[in-house]
Amino acid sequence: MNCEVCQLKELVSLGPPEPRQEVEHIEVQCGDVEHEKKINEKIDHFIDRVEKHPNKKNQICLSFYEVKNKQATWFTNKVERHYWEQWYINLNTVQHPKTHSGKSHHPKVVVDPGETASEERNARRTALESSLREVLFQIIKFVNEKKDHVPPIPNLDGVSFPYEITISSSSDSAFGMDMLKRMLQTGHPTMLS
């Protein structure tokens, strides 16, 4: 079985990283307290990474898989994960150099630094909201068009498919090797651009 891969449009956050403020209203709800806690911990870990490493590209990979028991050998019972869908969510945090501290080249124009910062923050937030909207439409399109690869639901209680959440940044070479290894194990994925 091939793994369907959705590489979502890169989200770009301009200016000083304020991811906690930008995502503070996100609340994960899936009906299972343990899964909600695990997901929120991963989100917090991702935000910590973005805050500690500005001007880096960061990525979250959400992978869904089936667990298959493989032929047992002498002393082991091998379990394999067959990945059937992966979602790559990319965030690039770009810091602009500090703007002029309220000084203008025109002596008659008075600029309030607080007002300028507020306007810049609002412009960044509006641009990010627009990008998020585009990504949500991309998700909806993918979900509506790509259904044939989804296996039967393993259980009807709570979260139905096993998943893993992997976090990386552009400086993580091990993550790239892990993704390459996983792609080789699961077969050639189809891409959605």
Side-chain angles (χ1 to χ4, degrees), residues 1-3 5 80-83 86 88 176-189:
M1 171 183 351
N2 285 337
C3 179
V5 176
E80 274 190 353
R81 291 181 175 185
H82 290 272
Y83 294 90
Q86 293 178 321
Y88 289 94
M177 291 304 291
D178 181 52
M179 289 294 110
L180 180 61
K181 181 177 152 186
R182 187 176 303 155
M183 285 181 3
L184 290 172
Q185 290 174 343
T186 59
H188 177 68

Side-chain angles (χ1 to χ4, degrees), residues 17-25 43-45 47-49 51:
E18 300 170 358
R20 278 201 203 282
Q21 295 168 3
E22 292 172 353
V23 297
E24 67 185 3
H25 60 277
I43 291 170
D44 287 342
H45 176 74
I47 292 170
D48 286 342
R49 178 176 284 229
E51 287 177 338

Side-chain angles (χ1 to χ4, degrees), residues 23-72:
V23 297
E24 67 185 3
H25 60 277
I26 294 176
E27 185 177 326
V28 174
Q29 293 182 347
C30 64
D32 184 311
V33 176
E34 288 301 313
H35 286 288
E36 289 172 5
K37 181 180 175 189
K38 179 180 173 183
I39 292 167
N40 284 321
E41 286 172 358
K42 287 289 189 173
I43 291 170
D44 287 342
H45 176 74
F46 180 72
I47 292 170
D48 286 342
R49 178 176 284 229
V50 170
E51 287 177 338
K52 289 177 185 170
H53 305 285
N55 292 322
K56 297 254 186 209
K57 292 185 179 192
N58 292 280
Q59 183 177 73
I60 296 177
C61 178
L62 172 60
S63 302
F64 295 97
Y65 60 89
E66 288 182 289
V67 176
K68 302 272 185 169
N69 290 323
K70 204 171 182 185
Q71 180 86 18

Side-chain angles (χ1 to χ4, degrees), residues 130-170:
S130 176
S131 292
L132 281 170
R133 200 172 298 110
E134 287 179 42
V135 168
L136 289 173
F137 284 123
Q138 186 181 5
I139 291 169
I140 291 167
K141 180 180 178 187
F142 182 90
V143 168
N144 286 332
E145 291 177 356
K146 308 278 186 172
K147 299 176 188 174
D148 296 340
H149 67 284
V150 179
I153 298 173
N155 70 48
L156 300 175
D157 299 326
V159 178
S160 57
F161 294 112
Y163 67 92
E164 72 180 6
I165 301 171
T166 312
I167 298 172
S168 74
S169 77
S170 60

